[in-house]
Amino acid sequence: MRDNTPPHHHDFDDGDDEILEEIELNGDPPLDDDDELEMEEVTLAELEARLGMLEHDDEPDEEEIRDQERIAAIKDEATVTFSTHTAPVFACSLHPKHSWAVTGSEDDRALVWDTNTGEVLFKITDHKDTVTEAHFSHDGTYLATGDMSGELLVFKVSEQQDERPIMTKVWEYAMFDMAWMFWHRGANVLIAGSDSGEVYVWRIPSGDCKILAGQASRCESGALTGDGKKLLTVYLNGAVKLWDLKTCQVLMEVNEQHPLGFGEITHAVVACDRESPLYLCAEGNGKMLFCTNNGPVNSIQSEHGIECVAFAPASSDLKLLACASLEGQISIWDYAKYSLRTSCEVPVPNDGVLCLKWLNDNTILVGTSQGNLHAFDARSGALKFKLTGHHYHLYDFVYKPEESLLLTVSEDTTAKIFKVPPLGD
């Protein structure tokens, strides 16, 4: 018997020789069969009321009413809405060649689907936890998915688009709880950071692995440098490291003893300039640390907290950096001068920013806690356009400039395809 197996009930012998004692309750004689019991008819609602079980909050409160009115007023501007997931959707990617999207959800599935029709093309059901990462490789040869528990899967994409199945699993790995994961920009190399601090670097499909030693602290964020040869990482103990991906050696480190260091932090993000060896680490309370290969060069304190950051594209004539907060503040910085250039105002009250990316040299797009998409001119801070359709948190988006196509994922359990208006210069 297993330890957690409940004991069996004893068998009772109802033999004829068993003596049963009749017990009279309250001294009252037993009722004759002909006696009638008076039974009061009670409805279920009356019974619940008597027992104090009737809920009195059936009516929505004022906040719920306002939220219902907000949702009812939303105009869905998406060209396609994908509603097959049954829980919030966190991850998304677009195939570079085919009209395919992949999305990962709290329903423990990653789904590949047609961006024109919403038809499901391939289901990944091997995960046992929330799928927080799903990415096609740079050339579309592979698809990688990862869940919060650290289960990573890689699928080879069929060479012919009309082949079925369109993908075949070629590699899997179980690491410690995963913090983040992405593909290298120019090679079939998969990189992932863990809750325990180690960073794994795999060559796919062989699975050859390098491990960048941890800090006994969660590796909160990682980013490739512009040359693709180094990796910038930040840890919740405040450490910042620049790694050589070939030798696995630390090229630059900022620890808590450094006068410009962070100390313990609760959230941090990193970004790398694509054109020069300039690296940024920003922590949740608004401190931004700028580094080069030789170490820190400056730090700036933003007037607002920081949830996400991004450098302008390498093709941009201006040296701009965008950062945004959960309170909805967006700042554009001239990092050549370490000075604030302008601010962008989210037009909806209490609409915090959850994700931010550059669409072209001068346009940033943010996704918000109320499901909105706002695009701004980074030179002036002016609002360029707004896209609506989601009801709640917009967790991530990816842009395909060749087709002006935007894929978004949300807390409302849907993914959507939008056509982005002309961006101008």
Side-chain angles (χ1 to χ4, degrees), residues 123-275:
K123 297 180 180 180
I124 300 172
T125 58
D126 305 49
H127 291 285
K128 301 297 186 292
D129 205 341
T130 300
V131 180
T132 55
E133 301 284 359
H135 306 281
F136 288 108
S137 59
H138 72 287
D139 59 359
T141 303
Y142 296 100
L143 167 65
T145 61
D147 64 39
M148 291 181 65
S149 69
E151 189 72 24
L152 276 60
L153 308 174
V154 172
F155 297 80
K156 177 76 163 57
V157 176
S158 302
E159 295 183 3
Q160 301 298 322
Q161 187 174 354
D162 56 353
E163 286 185 8
R164 293 294 183 272
I166 61 173
M167 297 181 186
T168 305
K169 185 164 67 174
V170 295
W171 181 84
E172 60 184 315
Y173 190 89
M175 56 182 282
F176 291 107
D177 289 355
M178 182 186 68
W180 49 267
M181 181 191 81
F182 57 78
W183 286 101
H184 192 281
R185 288 192 300 270
N188 292 323
V189 172
L190 192 63
I191 306 171
S194 71
D195 267 2
S196 56
E198 290 83 9
V199 175
Y200 297 80
V201 183
W202 299 277
R203 188 171 294 278
I204 302 298
S206 69
D208 294 342
C209 181
K210 297 178 181 179
I211 300 178
L212 311 183
Q215 285 276 311
S217 178
R218 174 184 169 91
C219 185
E220 180 74 353
S221 181
L224 279 175
T225 59
D227 60 10
K229 298 179 180 180
K230 297 179 284 294
L231 180 75
L232 181 67
T233 56
V234 61
Y235 306 82
L236 287 187
N237 63 1
V240 180
K241 290 187 177 184
L242 182 68
W243 297 87
D244 185 308
L245 288 176
K246 184 176 181 179
T247 65
C248 299
Q249 298 299 309
V250 177
L251 301 177
M252 182 272 296
E253 180 175 2
V254 185
N255 56 35
E256 57 187 15
Q257 283 77 37
H258 195 284
L260 296 181
F262 289 117
E264 292 286 337
I265 53 179
T266 58
H267 173 67
V269 287
V270 293
C272 300
D273 183 22
R274 294 287 291 271
E275 189 68 18

Side-chain angles (χ1 to χ4, degrees), residues 376-397:
F376 299 91
D377 187 319
R379 296 165 296 186
S380 64
L383 181 68
K384 299 183 76 169
F385 62 84
K386 175 183 175 182
L387 296 172
T388 57
H390 285 295
H391 301 164
Y392 297 112
H393 294 12
L394 197 155
Y395 287 120
D396 199 8
F397 62 82

